[in-house]
Amino acid sequence: MGRARMFLLRACWRLHVPWLPEELCPTAHPPDFRMHYGGAAKSALLDALIRLGQHDVASLIVAGTANSDAFVPRDVAEWLAARGFQ
C-alpha cells in the first residue's frame, strides 16, 4: 500500500512541479537554482501531509530519505522503475 501511495504522491507532485528533488544535480555548473528549493519543497510536502492526517506516508518518507531532499525512498523508486512506472 505504501508503494501505491508513493506513486500517487509522486504523480500528483509532477502535475504541479516538473522536477523531483532527487533529479537535481548538486555538482552542476552553473549551480542549478532549483537546489535551493529541494529541501524547502520536501519540508512543505511533509508539513502538508501531516496537516492532512497522512502521518503514515510522512513517516515512510522520513524513514527512507533522512539524508536527502528526495521524498520517494530509494527502494520504492527502484521498485516503481523496475515495473515501468515513471
Side-chain angles (χ1 to χ4, degrees), residues 10 12 14 17 34 38 45 47 51 55 61 68 72 78 81:
R10 189 172 69 172
C12 290
R14 284 213 181 262
V17 182
R34 299 173 298 176
L45 176 65
D47 290 345
R51 187 174 56 254
H55 303 279
I61 292 170
S68 75
V72 178
E78 290 171 355

Side-chain angles (χ1 to χ4, degrees), residues 1-85:
M1 184 64 150
R3 290 179 178 152
R5 293 178 80 183
M6 294 311 283
F7 172 75
L8 290 173
L9 180 64
R10 189 172 69 172
C12 290
W13 175 274
R14 284 213 181 262
L15 287 175
H16 302 284
V17 182
W19 49 270
L20 294 170
E22 59 265 26
E23 294 173 346
L24 305 179
C25 180
T27 60
H29 291 285
D32 192 338
F33 74 94
R34 299 173 298 176
M35 289 300 296
H36 174 72
Y37 300 108
K42 182 178 179 181
S43 178
L45 176 65
L46 290 172
D47 290 345
L49 287 170
I50 291 169
R51 187 174 56 254
L52 294 172
Q54 300 296 316
H55 303 279
D56 55 335
V57 177
S59 63
L60 179 66
I61 292 170
V62 170
T65 62
N67 297 324
S68 75
D69 290 340
F71 62 84
V72 178
R74 183 178 303 277
D75 61 327
V76 174
E78 290 171 355
W79 187 89
L80 290 170
R83 284 151 183 82
F85 296 108

